[in-house]
Amino acid sequence: DIRWDDYIERGQIDAIDTVRDVLGVDAVHTIGYCVAGTTLAATLAVLAARGEAGKVASATFFTAQVDFADAGDLNLFIGDEQMDLIKSLGADGFLGGRYMAATFNLLRGRDLIWNYVTNNYLLGKDYAPFDLLHWNGDTTNLPSKWHLSYLTDLYRDNLLVQPGAMTVMGTPIDLTTVATPSYIQAGREDHIAPMESVW
């Protein structure tokens, strides 16, 4: 039953407040990578809407999508049929991490599937070291409600960049109100978070 609101409110905002309390500081420096960076953008908008933007001194975003208009190849997985399949796979309340790993492998099929069929299975060569294999192998189960709303609200409908289109714990969010000094890093060849989507 965990939703994006929980990650923002009970995850990031609570963490920000805890660090401020423990260290006795007025503001913290934050970093968000990938989905956590997208979530951080929403967190900053929530804090701005509540008049609490001063809790965060700076934000660093590593390959974190915010505008999903040019979200890349993952857009292939947000059609009605795919969403129905994802919904059925998460009927127990979570989506198994192996399905996410399969999705990421399909996005880089030449590198992560056919390369090994050709070189290892057909030619008998040893597996070549490839960093993405380790990343894809570190799977995480996802809460179904959160995952479906993430795909629907962000990837399909691109609501995050529309002022007031989304709310977090009843607070409408507007990214245009965020004035937190930010550093944004994008990966030139990132197949999950293309540069245009990150910036």
Side-chain angles (χ1 to χ4, degrees), residues 77-94:
F77 296 93
I78 58 171
D80 291 339
E81 288 182 24
Q82 289 85 0
M83 294 299 278
D84 288 342
L85 174 62
I86 291 168
K87 196 177 297 183
S88 72
L89 294 174
D92 293 332
F94 68 93

Side-chain angles (χ1 to χ4, degrees), residues 95-166:
L95 179 74
R98 68 183 186 278
Y99 296 116
M100 288 299 294
T103 301
F104 292 134
N105 284 344
L106 288 169
L107 290 174
R108 294 284 296 263
R110 285 194 175 145
D111 297 326
L112 298 175
I113 298 173
W114 295 111
N115 169 47
Y116 297 99
V117 170
T118 302
N119 289 322
N120 181 261
Y121 182 73
L122 295 176
L123 300 176
K125 296 179 182 177
D126 285 337
Y127 292 108
F130 190 47
D131 54 354
L132 282 181
L133 288 179
H134 298 286
W135 187 81
N136 282 2
D138 186 17
T139 61
T140 302
N141 296 335
L142 300 173
S144 293
K145 288 182 181 178
W146 171 84
H147 184 244
L148 281 172
S149 69
Y150 194 84
L151 291 176
T152 304
D153 297 341
L154 301 179
Y155 273 96
R156 190 188 71 197
D157 300 337
N158 200 19
L159 297 179
L160 185 58
V161 295
Q162 300 174 33
M166 296 184 77

